[in-house]
Amino acid sequence: MGRKEKRQKNKKNRWWKITLLVVGLFVLIGGGYLISFYMNVKDTVNNDLHESVTAIDNDVTKEKMASNSPLNILLLGVDERENDRGRSDTMIVLTLDPSNERMQMVSIPRDTRTEIIGHGTVDKINHSYAFGGSNMSVDTVENFLDIEIDYYVRVNMEGLQQLVDSVNGVSVTNTLAFTNGSYEFPEGEQELDGREALAYVRMRKDDPQGDVGRNERQRQVIEGVISKGASFSGVSKINEILSVLGENVSTNMDFSDMSVMVTDYRGARKDIETYQITGEGTTIDGIWYLQVPDEEVQKTHDLIEDFANGI
């Protein structure tokens, strides 16, 4: 029985790309440091980052990887506070097409109204994480778009600040001048440190596009981290990057999965396409939702499936 029948549900990718590309850098280093670095990465991935979910059939995923088939990765950006699991403010389906060396990032607005699989309610899609963590988020996104998720990557948004700093900042091109707290962001290209990047991606209320604009800023920072993480300048900060990832990231990938991606999937960063799911705002029982029409859901499903099929 496939996952679709038995389902009842963790970038600029991004995150995993940094890890994978950093892992790839160890070939540039020789001797005892090579061995030490390799073991540090392996231990970080398998001990600190790895977290399985029942919603994903790892055997099926590994078969797809073995044949270099396209993969769907769910990126979850969550605000986790002490004694509070938080909600997933960022939900992106990242599709990797290794044959055509490209990737696609589909952003799902956090207020999207849909069935929360495993909870028995219809609610905002980002509440799936609050109710059931990464597992329920995977199940809910799979049901909403009628797709299969192969991996998830969950990142604590507080850790995004540290991650940006660990790669010495990122470059973005801002299309909307705005102020968020004590930070001012003029239009045009600019360099952001960790605190600035966090303020940049969190602004939503003053953006006329709402979540659409916010998600675009999040994708910019994600792509910026990929670019910096893949550069040679990151070599001297490998241990710092690993430390940040170990404290703020969880995924069902293990070290062997990442090793395959280093060799077989890294070319996907050459061509990045993006899409933002759209809908109409509506208020139900005093709560605001984004109602996504069935036609838009089908369009997004087809977009992901066609991309994976090389269309």
Side-chain angles (χ1 to χ4, degrees):
M1 179 180 293
R3 273 175 283 175
K4 293 179 182 177
E5 288 78 9
K6 72 178 183 181
R7 77 166 61 100
Q8 66 77 24
K9 148 203 139 320
N10 157 307
K11 150 39 49 358
K12 219 187 287 337
N13 174 313
R14 166 215 124 242
W15 172 88
W16 61 267
K17 288 220 147 224
I18 297 176
T19 309
L20 307 180
L21 294 170
V22 168
V23 169
L25 292 177
F26 78 79
V27 299
L28 302 174
I29 309 165
Y33 183 71
L34 168 70
I35 298 173
S36 174
F37 172 56
Y38 177 89
M39 294 308 297
N40 284 344
V41 173
K42 185 174 183 178
D43 288 345
T44 297
V45 173
N46 288 341
N47 297 330
D48 298 333
L49 308 184
H50 185 74
E51 182 181 296
S52 296
V53 293
T54 59
I56 295 175
D57 188 330
N58 290 328
D59 291 337
V60 172
T61 297
K62 287 183 181 295
E63 289 177 4
K64 293 171 72 173
M65 289 191 74
S67 61
N68 280 356
S69 298
L71 299 172
N72 290 326
I73 301 172
L74 178 62
L75 308 180
L76 299 171
V78 303
D79 266 323
E80 292 180 320
R81 312 292 169 87
E82 187 174 357
N83 300 320
D84 181 9
R85 174 183 280 164
R87 293 180 175 86
S88 53
D89 285 337
T90 303
M91 303 184 83
I92 297 175
V93 176
L94 176 70
T95 302
L96 305 179
D97 177 10
S99 297
N100 295 297
E101 296 189 322
R102 60 180 187 164
M103 75 168 71
Q104 177 177 260
M105 300 172 69
V106 174
S107 296
I108 305 173
R110 65 179 188 170
D111 294 326
T112 299
R113 190 170 189 267
T114 190
E115 179 183 0
I116 307 299
I117 303 302
H119 195 256
T121 59
V122 175
D123 207 330
K124 296 183 179 183
I125 196 167
N126 71 326
H127 287 192
S128 60
Y129 183 79
F131 294 145
S134 301
N135 200 67
M136 191 171 289
S137 294
V138 170
D139 264 338
T140 298
V141 170
E142 286 188 329
N143 182 73
F144 174 56
L145 294 176
D146 190 21
I147 60 172
E148 290 189 344
I149 298 296
D150 301 297
Y151 290 108
Y152 84 91
V153 178
R154 185 184 74 240
V155 181
N156 184 0
M157 295 302 286
E158 291 291 338
L160 179 64
Q161 173 182 324
Q162 297 171 281
L163 187 56
V164 169
D165 283 336
S166 73
V167 296
N168 296 323
V170 296
S171 298
V172 300
T173 301
N174 186 27
T175 59
L176 173 70
F178 67 91
T179 299
N180 190 6
S182 60
Y183 299 102
E184 294 185 2
F185 301 97
E187 291 186 16
E189 187 172 345
Q190 52 203 282
E191 292 286 328
L192 305 179
D193 63 19
R195 288 183 180 276
E196 292 167 335
L198 196 58
Y200 183 72
V201 302
R202 277 183 165 165
M203 195 283 284
R204 181 174 68 120
K205 292 184 178 179
D206 294 331
D207 191 326
Q209 296 188 85
D211 270 337
V212 174
R214 174 176 170 163
N215 288 342
E216 176 57 33
R217 287 189 291 278
Q218 290 170 343
R219 286 196 296 262
Q220 287 185 35
V221 172
I222 287 171
E223 291 178 19
V225 174
I226 293 174
S227 178
K228 279 296 190 71
S231 70
F232 291 117
S233 64
V235 173
S236 63
K237 307 201 76 177
I238 287 172
N239 287 333
E240 182 179 347
I241 293 173
L242 289 176
S243 176
V244 172
L245 293 176
E247 293 174 1
N248 295 285
V249 173
S250 295
T251 178
N252 62 318
M253 295 184 198
D254 57 28
F255 184 75
S256 63
D257 297 331
M258 293 186 180
S259 299
V260 172
M261 285 191 177
V262 167
T263 57
D264 297 346
Y265 286 81
R266 64 184 301 171
R269 70 182 289 267
K270 294 180 180 180
D271 182 8
I272 302 175
E273 300 179 19
T274 63
Y275 184 73
Q276 169 77 44
I277 293 177
T278 60
E280 295 292 333
T282 184
T283 300
I284 300 176
D285 295 331
I287 300 175
W288 192 91
Y289 298 92
L290 183 75
Q291 193 74 50
V292 180
D294 291 342
E295 296 80 6
E296 175 69 3
V297 174
Q298 185 63 48
K299 175 184 175 181
T300 306
H301 165 84
D302 293 343
L303 189 70
I304 294 172
E305 292 292 304
D306 288 348
F307 190 88
N309 290 324
I311 300 176

